Amino acid sequence: MRTRNLKLRTSKDWDLWISIVRVKATGYDVWHLIDPSKSTKPAMLPKPERPKLTFPDDIDEASRANILAHHKLLLEIYRIEYADWHEQRDEITNIFDHIFDTLSFNNLLYITTIEVHPWNILRALQQKLGPLDYARALELERELENFQISRKCNEAALVPTVLSKGAGGRT
């Protein structure tokens, strides 16, 4: 089964859906950054700043060479940090894509007003659809309402049939 076929529609889907998100995020090594069970939003790697090379106006050649060598080391560190930051950003983007691809349209309403970060999104969804008594109670209320509406429609459809059979039997 392709995991994109499993949509998060109701609280019944939550456990399996979040398990798939967890497996994917663990594979990308970012679950620790989006785990909705954490009480505070985990910090992501900050985007590194490229080091700037500046020389004082009155500098001798030896000092200039030292500053240049130091700058080359800073650039190498920057390249490594930037690669790590970029990789994490791409992995988080992959998880974002999975979350949005597998979220039912109705559940988008729960995340329209929150800060765009996977942890915020998962926390909001967990609060609305997670294995909480409140979420399950809301779902059962909706099912009961749908059942009652369906039952009334079926009863209304049966009334003309019963009346026509009853009227036919009297004459």
Side-chain angles (χ1 to χ4, degrees):
M1 174 173 106
R2 288 188 43 104
T3 57
R4 292 196 190 273
N5 293 340
L6 176 70
K7 297 276 188 199
L8 178 59
R9 291 183 177 91
T10 68
S11 62
K12 290 180 198 174
D13 304 325
W14 175 260
D15 288 332
L16 181 57
W17 183 84
I18 195 65
S19 294
I20 292 169
V21 171
R22 183 182 307 110
V23 167
K24 286 182 171 288
T26 301
Y28 288 127
D29 195 26
V30 294
W31 178 247
H32 63 284
L33 298 172
I34 65 171
D35 183 352
S37 68
K38 294 188 176 185
S39 58
T40 57
K41 181 171 77 171
M44 296 177 60
L45 290 176
K47 185 177 181 180
E49 262 190 58
R50 185 181 185 99
K52 293 176 178 39
L53 177 61
T54 56
F55 296 106
D57 291 336
D58 56 342
I59 190 169
D60 60 47
E61 267 319 297
S63 296
R64 185 178 199 79
N66 284 339
I67 291 174
L68 191 56
H70 181 72
H71 181 73
K72 285 182 182 180
L73 287 174
L74 291 176
L75 267 179
E76 188 57 35
I77 292 169
Y78 165 78
R79 285 185 189 112
I80 292 167
E81 289 176 348
Y82 185 84
D84 289 345
W85 171 82
H86 195 273
E87 182 180 6
Q88 184 181 80
R89 189 190 69 176
D90 288 349
E91 291 162 347
I92 290 289
T93 299
N94 288 332
I95 294 299
F96 257 131
D97 290 346
H98 176 76
I99 290 170
F100 285 104
D101 287 347
T102 59
L103 199 58
S104 74
F105 181 77
N106 291 339
N107 290 329
L108 289 173
L109 298 173
Y110 298 137
I111 61 172
T112 56
T113 59
I114 61 172
E115 178 191 351
V116 179
H117 184 285
W119 180 83
N120 293 338
I121 292 169
L122 292 178
R123 289 280 290 195
L125 292 171
Q126 182 181 42
Q127 289 171 354
K128 296 294 184 180
L129 298 165
L132 305 171
D133 292 337
Y134 175 75
R136 188 67 183 129
L138 283 177
E139 187 176 312
L140 290 173
E141 283 179 23
R142 275 191 232 120
E143 287 180 15
L144 180 61
E145 287 173 13
N146 289 338
F147 173 75
Q148 289 171 340
I149 291 169
S150 172
R151 191 172 135 220
K152 286 179 183 177
C153 289
N154 287 338
E155 287 174 357
L158 288 176
V159 170
T161 307
V162 171
L163 289 178
S164 66
K165 286 183 182 178
R170 283 189 224 148
T171 49

